[in-house]
Amino acid sequence: IEDEQDLPRPPPPDFQANNRPKSGSKTPLTPNDVHYGKTLGEGSFSRVVLGTHRRTGQQYAVKIIDKNYLIRMKKKETALAEKNALVQLGAGHPGIVRLYLSYQDAYSLYFVLDYAPNGELQTLLTRLGSLCLPCVRHYTAQIIDAIDYVHQKHVIHRDLKPENLLLDEDFRLKLTDFGTSKVLDPSGEQRKSTFVGTPQYMCPELLESSTTGPSSDLWALGCIIFRMITGRFAFNGLSDYLTMQKIKQMDYSFPEGVDGHAKDLIQKLLVPNPSERLGAGTSGSNNDIQALRSHPFLVSIKWDTLWTDEVPARE
Ligand code: ATP
């Protein structure tokens, strides 16, 4: 489908909608306010198009999910999980893609989201290989800040990876794709999980005992820092099976020349026991989230202005 002519008309605004206005705006966003434009990308059961507010010109990414396909592929829960998590997370964090409005018609579900014009961190990594150390440090801090917020809202993402970290107009990160996320009961304990994520970022507890918890996101963080700094996967085999074997055996090594503090941080995140990962401890313990934020690799980070400071040059 090339342009807006091919899209079903937006439904009248009497559908169940979650239409919180953009901050500062007085009138709630309605489906008829959004003009559909070019396709931004495609997922396995969705298409994302550029949405423009007819009056204000504000741009959005509109994720359009094919209902039939969802039902056929038994993926209804995925769309539901995504919506539930985004509603739970609300507008409270600059590093998380915000859901402005959701609605449906006979064919599709529509999620009106923050638009991230600079694409995925993954694409940047493919283009540049690795990133410069100050940028790795800045992005590491942004990911920590975003996942801390997500966990405080009792959500675990469970599929953290550079493909799910989008870049806004100023190259700040925005965490997206909560389709495999889980809204936890407040105890935050490890849960049985049937979810299968991207092999390279999968945590050992998922492979060994099919469980995931908030600390699974910290494992993925370790894999992402490794990737940003070295340009390679921490764990990668010739097949998914062999990648998973490497994870179970903790079979990874650093190339020459990796910054010592970054290496130490990665080693403290890539720990098989989920409760021993840096950042996983209860508040006040020596491996709580504050200990993660205070790691020597991040000592120069100004957490108060993390989302307004300029992102260091990527290369
Ligand atoms: P899959 O569902 O197979 O995991 P996916 O998560 O990439 O794939 P979508 O979330 O539907 O699927 O996104 C499809 C593409 O649309 C993405 O690869 C990205 O390039 C683009 N995209 C998604 N969300 C946004 C956004 N908020 N702003 C800009 N582009 C986006």
Side-chain angles (χ1 to χ4, degrees):
I1 299 173
E2 284 306 310
D3 56 32
E4 64 268 25
Q5 268 87 343
D6 297 314
L7 285 166
R9 266 182 59 74
D14 61 342
F15 277 85
Q16 198 186 14
N18 167 37
N19 54 348
R20 285 160 299 119
K22 201 166 171 65
S23 54
S25 154
K26 289 191 187 66
T27 43
L29 184 69
T30 72
N32 288 322
D33 291 332
V34 184
H35 168 85
Y36 298 126
K38 65 174 181 185
T39 298
L40 298 172
E42 285 184 10
S44 7
F45 48 89
S46 54
R47 187 159 56 93
V48 177
V49 304
L50 183 65
T52 309
H53 194 290
R54 293 178 195 279
R55 225 167 353 94
T56 65
Q58 174 72 41
Q59 292 186 309
Y60 300 97
V62 186
K63 183 162 175 168
I64 305 171
I65 306 171
D66 185 314
K67 280 196 203 176
N68 266 335
Y69 192 71
L70 264 193
I71 293 162
R72 261 203 333 270
M73 303 304 287
K74 300 192 169 47
K75 289 283 183 189
K76 234 168 77 182
E77 325 71 51
T78 308
L80 253 173
E82 180 155 25
K83 184 179 163 187
N84 287 344
L86 287 169
V87 167
Q88 177 106 345
L89 296 169
H93 199 280
I96 292 157
V97 160
R98 177 179 166 189
L99 175 70
Y100 292 93
L101 170 69
S102 62
Y103 49 92
Q104 57 180 307
D105 60 19
Y107 316 100
S108 309
L109 305 176
Y110 298 77
F111 293 165
V112 181
L113 303 161
D114 271 324
Y115 170 47
N118 282 310
E120 297 172 2
L121 176 62
Q122 168 63 22
T123 313
L124 193 70
L125 285 169
T126 307
R127 203 173 71 232
L128 301 179
S130 57
L131 303 180
C132 281
L133 200 61
C135 184
V136 174
R137 182 177 289 117
H138 198 85
Y139 280 167
T140 300
Q142 289 198 331
I143 301 168
I144 291 170
D145 203 57
I147 59 176
D148 183 15
Y149 174 81
V150 168
H151 292 172
Q152 279 180 38
K153 292 280 177 189
H154 307 296
V155 175
I156 34 176
H157 187 283
R158 304 199 300 178
D159 197 18
L160 263 184
K161 55 183 176 179
E163 292 88 327
N164 289 336
L165 289 159
L166 301 178
L167 300 161
D168 77 3
E169 61 278 17
D170 299 312
F171 281 88
R172 298 189 181 106
L173 295 180
K174 273 199 189 289
L175 179 56
T176 190
D177 204 351
F178 286 81
T180 41
S181 69
K182 187 108 194 144
V183 178
L184 288 174
D185 56 59
S187 74
E189 282 168 8
Q190 294 274 315
R191 301 287 293 267
K192 275 280 168 203
S193 174
T194 51
F195 155 70
V196 177
T198 308
Q200 283 84 1
Y201 300 91
M202 267 187 195
C203 52
E205 60 271 24
L206 183 61
L207 302 176
E208 298 285 3
S209 56
S210 303
T211 54
T212 49
S215 179
S216 310
D217 290 339
L218 296 171
W219 173 275
L221 169 66
C223 296
I224 296 171
I225 305 171
F226 187 102
R227 180 83 207 275
M228 291 194 291
I229 213 157
T230 66
R232 308 185 198 161
F233 291 114
F235 304 95
N236 199 26
L238 289 172
S239 65
D240 288 355
Y241 173 78
L242 291 173
T243 299
M244 292 181 210
Q245 290 304 108
K246 287 193 170 206
I247 295 168
K248 286 187 192 173
Q249 291 154 9
M250 291 293 296
D251 177 6
Y252 80 100
S253 58
F254 290 95
E256 289 287 303
V258 174
D259 174 85
H261 287 321
K263 202 166 157 177
D264 182 77
L265 175 55
I266 293 166
Q267 284 167 333
K268 288 186 165 126
L269 291 166
L270 297 184
V271 173
N273 183 342
S275 60
E276 287 175 7
R277 288 173 203 148
L278 188 61
T282 47
S283 173
S285 66
N286 63 0
N287 73 333
D288 68 359
I289 193 74
Q290 214 39 57
L292 175 57
R293 288 176 184 268
S294 313
H295 186 276
F297 180 57
L298 302 168
V299 79
S300 61
I301 293 292
K302 298 191 200 87
W303 293 93
D304 291 346
T305 51
L306 182 63
W307 297 96
T308 46
D309 285 345
E310 203 173 308
V311 175
R314 268 67 64 200
E315 52 187 323

